[in-house]
Amino acid sequence: MKRSDMAGWAGYGYCASHSRFFWGLRLFLVCTPTGMPILWALANPKLDEREVVSAMLDREPHLATDRPSLLVIADKGFASKEFEADLAFRGAELLRPSFKREKKRRGESLLKSVRQLIESVNDTNCIPLAP
């Protein structure tokens, strides 16, 4: 049996939006408000997504420091006091949906207007790999 050439990089992960497991990598994008990717990473799906984004910002620290009051828009998976504190240390603020048990977060009403943009960027940048 031939092993995948991606064996050292890829792994099994769970995609909650599709309710299934997958073999591969997760694509992480940091984009401008118009949807242009300015930073990207491929990561093993077992890695915590907050750690991946923190590592991306460690690699390119000027992306946050050169933009005072940067607003990072993310999904509920990025909920963490530590992650929000890390972003605040970098001069950025996290905007994400609130959980049912939380009160509505400041700026949350803005999320619906950017959801279509986010899905469009994801669909445009997801390139299937040949078997």
Side-chain angles (χ1 to χ4, degrees):
M1 172 171 30
K2 183 178 176 186
R3 290 181 49 124
S4 167
D5 290 337
M6 297 176 58
W9 294 87
Y12 282 101
Y14 183 75
C15 178
S17 63
H18 294 100
S19 302
R20 64 179 172 222
F21 288 91
F22 68 94
W23 166 259
L25 298 161
R26 284 198 196 276
L27 173 64
F28 291 84
L29 296 172
V30 174
C31 299
T32 66
T34 60
M36 184 179 76
I38 57 172
L39 187 61
W40 64 275
L42 290 173
N44 186 302
K46 292 193 186 303
L47 293 175
D48 185 293
E49 52 196 5
R50 295 166 293 210
E51 291 178 17
V52 174
V53 171
S54 290
M56 291 167 67
L57 293 173
D58 286 344
R59 180 96 172 130
E60 301 286 343
H62 65 280
L63 290 177
T65 57
D66 291 355
R67 294 168 178 83
S69 303
L70 178 69
L71 183 63
V72 176
I73 299 173
D75 63 19
K76 291 179 188 178
F78 287 86
S80 159
K81 288 186 190 310
E82 294 83 13
F83 183 68
E84 288 194 53
D86 179 51
L87 287 178
F89 177 76
R90 298 172 193 269
E93 182 182 353
L94 178 66
L95 175 57
R96 65 162 177 84
S98 59
F99 289 105
K100 289 180 182 174
R101 68 180 186 275
E102 293 179 306
K103 65 178 183 173
K104 293 286 183 196
R105 296 171 58 90
R106 187 172 69 86
E108 189 172 351
S109 61
L110 301 170
L111 292 174
K112 287 183 182 175
S113 64
V114 297
R115 187 70 202 170
Q116 186 174 2
L117 173 66
I118 292 168
E119 293 301 326
S120 175
V121 169
N122 286 339
D123 289 344
T124 302
N125 288 297
C126 291
I127 302 166
L129 298 174

